Amino acid sequence: MLLEVLNDPARRRETASLKWTLYPPDVLPLWVADMDFRAPRVILDALRERVEEGVFGYTFESSSLRDVIVERVVQRHGIAVRPEDLIFTPPLVYVLYTMGRVFAGQGKPVLMSTPIYPPFLMSVRNCGAHLVDVPLASTLRDGVLHYEIDFDALEAAITPESKLLMICSPHNPVGRVFTRHELLRLAELAEKHNLVVVSDEIHSDLVFGGHEHIAFASLAPEIAHRTITLNAPSKTFNVPGLQFSYAVITNPVLRQRVTADMERIAGHPNMFGFVAAKAAYQGGQPWLDELLVYLEANRDAFVSYMRENLPQLPV
C-alpha cells in the first residue's frame, strides 16, 4: 500500500493547513482540493535530495522536465506537443487571470458555463471583461444530479465580439467527464465562431472507471491550434502548495501572447514545484493507481449513504 492516510486532523491543523483551520473544529472540511494523504514517496525523496543541496537561489526548470511532461502529454492525452510548446507557470489560478487579460480585456465577453470553479469567475472580473454565463443544464437521475452543456444556449450567446471560451474538463464542480461527442460539438462552435478555447484539464488524471478523459486539443490539429490546455500535478499528487502548473500551447502566436503577459505580471513557479512535478510524472503512477481505487470507493460510499439516508437531497 503506497497511500499513507493522515487520519488525525490535529496533525494537519498544526501545520497551518488552510483546509483544516479556516473553519471551526466541528466542521468537516470538504471544500478544497487538498487530500489527507501524504504525497507519493518518490516526490518526498526528490524534495529531500533538493533540500540537502542547501542552496535555494533563482531556478529555471531543467530540460529533462520538459521531456518528461511532453512524454506524458503525448502518451496519456494524445496532444502532439513539443518541449517549446510548454509554458511553466505559478498556480493555475494566475493563468486563468492571464487568459482574460490577453484574449478578452476590458468590457469584452468571455463565455463559460456555471456552476464552475470560482476563480474562473474572478478571472473575468479582475480583468474588466464581461462574463457571458451559459448555465449547464441539469437533470435528476436516481438521486444524482447530471449536468450537460446547453449547446443551443451557448451558440445563441456568441456575438461578433466573442473571442474566448473557457471550459473546465473534467468539470469542477459537477464531476463530469465530457464525451467525445460533446467536445466535438464544442469544437465545431469554436471553429465556426473563431474562438480561442482555454481548457482547464487539471483533473484529467482523476477519472474513475468507465470514463475516459479526452483532451480538447487532441480532437484535431485545427482545434489544437486554437486551444490553450492548462494542467498541473497539484490535484493529482496532492502538492498544491508547491505552486506549479503548466500550459500547453502549440500555436506560436497564442503562446507568445501568453508568455509576454506572464513575464510581465505572474512570475515563475516555485523551485520545489519543478522538482515535485518531475518526480511525480516519472515515478508517481503506482501511487496514483492506488489513489483512484480509494477515491472511487469513497465516492460510491457517499452516494450510497445519501440515497439510503437522505433521499430528499440530490448529490
Side-chain angles (χ1 to χ4, degrees), residues 75-107:
Q75 291 185 356
R76 291 181 66 89
H77 304 306
I79 304 174
V81 60
R82 305 162 301 170
E84 58 266 33
D85 296 331
L86 301 176
I87 299 176
F88 295 133
T89 64
L92 191 143
V93 169
Y94 289 87
V95 190
L96 292 176
Y97 295 166
T98 289
M99 298 302 112
R101 284 194 303 269
V102 173
F103 299 110
Q106 194 69 34

Side-chain angles (χ1 to χ4, degrees), residues 62-217:
S62 65
S63 59
S64 58
L65 173 60
R66 289 183 177 270
D67 294 338
V68 166
I69 293 179
V70 164
E71 180 179 6
R72 188 176 186 85
V73 170
V74 171
Q75 291 185 356
R76 291 181 66 89
H77 304 306
I79 304 174
V81 60
R82 305 162 301 170
E84 58 266 33
D85 296 331
L86 301 176
I87 299 176
F88 295 133
T89 64
L92 191 143
V93 169
Y94 289 87
V95 190
L96 292 176
Y97 295 166
T98 289
M99 298 302 112
R101 284 194 303 269
V102 173
F103 299 110
Q106 194 69 34
K108 299 297 183 182
V110 178
L111 294 152
M112 66 181 69
S113 295
T114 55
I116 200 166
Y117 181 48
F120 276 79
L121 307 175
M122 292 186 289
S123 71
V124 176
R125 290 197 297 266
N126 287 352
C127 71
H130 169 57
L131 172 65
V132 179
D133 177 18
V134 183
L136 297 171
S138 64
T139 55
L140 189 61
R141 304 177 187 174
D142 191 22
V144 176
L145 277 172
H146 180 83
Y147 288 84
E148 295 182 346
I149 300 166
D150 188 335
F151 289 101
D152 292 337
L154 180 59
E155 182 157 32
I158 299 173
T159 71
E161 280 197 313
S162 302
K163 303 298 180 186
L164 178 62
L165 169 64
M166 300 179 77
I167 65 174
C168 191
S169 175
H171 195 282
N172 176 12
V174 308
R176 276 297 315 280
V177 179
F178 294 115
T179 65
R180 182 175 295 275
H181 175 70
E182 289 173 303
L183 294 174
L184 284 171
R185 288 191 67 182
L186 275 181
E188 290 173 4
L189 288 180
E191 283 284 288
K192 179 179 177 180
H193 298 281
N194 193 28
L195 303 175
V196 172
V197 179
V198 173
S199 183
D200 170 7
E201 302 186 11
I202 198 170
H203 292 93
S204 57
D205 287 321
L206 298 175
V207 175
F208 297 151
H211 302 279
E212 176 192 9
H213 168 69
I214 299 169
F216 194 74

